[in-house]
Amino acid sequence: MNYNIQSKKDYDSLIERIKKEANGPINGTYEFCGVSCEFKGTTDQIKEIFEISDEFEYNFVQAISMFKKKQIGPYITEKYFHIIPSIKEAIKQFKIDCFETRRCVIDFPEEHCFRSIQFLLRDNTINVVCFMRSCDAIKNLPKDMWLCSKMADILSFYINKTLGLHPYKYQKIKMMFGSLHVYAKDLNE
């Protein structure tokens, strides 16, 4: 199943479907297995839909840029220290292959819920394809979708800085989940 999330209403509808139709309880959760979510737009639109503050964004980006260990929202920042160096490394694929490369990929450590994120530059758009082992749809999905979008912004910045290309603003984000779930204890909140 694929869920298109373009508004808060779309997101709320997904949460309601999980509550009503998901398998469970399994390890204290109700889950959909092998589903995906899609978003088309900008980071600012994601921030607006999910009410992600400028302060959260600033604090997270500063912490991973400066290698500061903190808990910011659902994230323990040290697990994300590799993002910016990995993006810089991934950009080399554009130089080695071409701008249509399929090898611009960031992998995550095994304990991470994120497994990998691939960036594809097509039709003046950064296509972000994210593979996740597991995701809490209530506590993490909004910020995980924001993080994919923010990583595309960072990629765009470094493409502009290192390769001299115009920044990409528009993104297509496709997130695929082994388990997209809601904890039973959160169902009534």
Side-chain angles (χ1 to χ4, degrees), residues 33-57:
C33 297
V35 300
S36 62
C37 292
E38 195 170 299
F39 171 82
K40 296 174 185 165
T42 66
T43 303
D44 286 340
Q45 289 169 323
I46 289 176
K47 286 173 61 179
E48 185 177 322
I49 291 168
F50 296 121
E51 299 174 356
I52 295 171
S53 70
D54 291 339
E55 179 184 12
F56 172 87
E57 180 176 51

Side-chain angles (χ1 to χ4, degrees), residues 120-139:
L120 301 155
L121 304 180
R122 305 290 188 271
D123 301 320
N124 294 317
T125 300
I126 297 180
N127 292 269
V128 181
V129 182
C130 173
F131 300 92
M132 293 189 74
R133 161 181 72 72
S134 178
C135 182
D136 181 329
I138 291 177
K139 293 182 177 169

Side-chain angles (χ1 to χ4, degrees), residues 1-5 14 17 21 32 35-38 180:
M1 288 184 272
N2 183 50
Y3 297 94
N4 188 15
I5 299 176
L14 169 62
R17 278 197 78 178
E21 300 173 22
F32 282 149
V35 300
S36 62
C37 292
E38 195 170 299
L180 182 63

Side-chain angles (χ1 to χ4, degrees), residues 79-110:
K79 291 184 177 186
Y80 299 87
F81 287 167
H82 76 291
I83 288 176
I84 293 175
S86 294
I87 287 173
K88 289 178 180 178
E89 189 65 29
I91 286 176
K92 291 178 183 176
Q93 285 306 137
F94 295 122
K95 290 179 180 179
I96 294 168
D97 294 349
C98 64
F99 289 107
E100 289 81 26
T101 187
R102 295 179 182 100
R103 296 194 295 167
C104 187
V105 177
I106 295 174
D107 292 314
F108 286 78
E110 190 172 317

